[in-house]
Amino acid sequence: MKIGLFFGSFNPIHIGHLIIANYMANHTELDKVWLVVSPHNPLKELRDLIHVYDRLEMAKLAIEKAENIQVSDVELRLPQPSYTIDTLTYLKDIYPEHQFVLIMGSDNLKTLNKWKNYELILRDYQIYVYPRPGYDGGELESHPSVTITNTPLMELSSTFIRKSVHEKKDVRFFIPDKVFDFIDSKGLYS
């Protein structure tokens, strides 16, 4: 099986994430997409993250009815902080029958050279890139392991959702209903 790994903090998950995952699962040759909830991205601030189990639960609520998208908690079982190459190596060891493809935005592709062992990622894995507003993929766009997709351009961000919730603005159509209810019931991002 060819599985796309869409890593993220999903803090919170929103319709932009779901549109990207759905596009990758249904408009490329991927068989499935796994949303890999990262406890802490080493290149991001920890202070803005809510607890990983709340982010994991919201991701599960968001994709309840999706047939070819699932949530993975694999990074919760690995040493922290999470490094993509370590997760890829671990998954390849426990699922040798699967082919894993990395899904990332053009903003991440542009800074991939700052990632731990990025040369190994480029050597051993395909990377499917979705566009991000204001970013091209930089010099790695033409790398043989990189495929630039026609995923719809998403300008929605988790930062926008968190800020809006904090300012008591309605975010109901930016996130799935069950995620909205979860955030509201727990008073997250207030």
Side-chain angles (χ1 to χ4, degrees):
M1 202 177 310
K2 194 168 188 177
I3 298 171
L5 301 173
F6 186 8
F7 290 80
S9 300
F10 302 112
N11 185 38
I13 193 165
H14 54 70
I15 60 164
H17 295 126
L18 300 174
I19 289 169
I20 292 165
N22 186 61
Y23 179 90
M24 294 293 180
N26 292 291
H27 298 274
T28 69
E29 72 278 359
L30 295 175
D31 298 302
K32 284 190 177 285
V33 169
W34 292 1
L35 301 176
V36 182
V37 179
S38 300
H40 176 223
N41 176 335
L43 300 176
K44 289 188 177 179
E45 285 290 327
L46 185 59
R47 64 180 164 80
D48 293 332
L49 288 177
I50 63 166
H51 198 280
V52 66
Y53 289 106
D54 286 334
R55 294 183 281 121
L56 194 63
E57 182 61 24
M58 287 188 286
K60 288 176 182 175
L61 290 169
I63 57 101
E64 274 182 340
K65 295 180 181 162
E67 291 180 23
N68 48 4
I69 303 170
Q70 65 188 60
V71 175
S72 172
D73 64 356
V74 64
E75 289 202 332
L76 276 65
R77 292 175 262 154
L78 298 173
Q80 301 302 309
S82 312
Y83 291 99
T84 302
I85 188 61
D86 297 334
T87 306
L88 289 168
T89 303
Y90 176 77
L91 287 171
K92 195 174 185 180
D93 285 347
I94 61 172
Y95 299 108
E97 71 279 13
H98 295 325
Q99 178 185 356
F100 292 102
V101 173
L102 190 57
I103 297 170
M104 70 171 61
S106 55
D107 54 335
N108 282 322
L109 182 63
K110 193 166 187 137
T111 61
L112 185 64
N113 62 347
K114 294 181 181 174
W115 293 25
K116 177 184 175 185
N117 296 340
Y118 78 94
E119 305 94 339
L120 295 178
I121 295 172
L122 286 167
R123 185 191 75 193
D124 297 340
Y125 298 92
Q126 288 181 281
I127 302 172
Y128 287 10
V129 178
Y130 59 88
R132 289 294 303 260
Y135 292 94
D136 62 28
E139 62 191 43
L140 292 176
E141 256 185 355
S142 59
H143 191 281
S145 296
V146 173
T147 300
I148 306 298
T149 68
N150 290 318
T151 310
L153 188 64
M154 292 288 115
E155 294 199 37
L156 186 58
S157 72
S158 294
T159 303
F160 169 79
I161 302 292
R162 289 192 306 272
K163 184 174 186 276
S164 297
V165 170
H166 182 74
E167 294 172 354
K168 301 192 182 339
K169 294 182 180 171
D170 191 351
V171 295
R172 201 173 313 261
F173 300 108
F174 299 116
I175 56 179
D177 291 341
K178 288 187 176 187
V179 173
F180 177 85
D181 293 342
F182 185 85
I183 290 171
D184 190 49
S185 71
K186 293 195 93 175
L188 301 175
Y189 309 116
S190 295

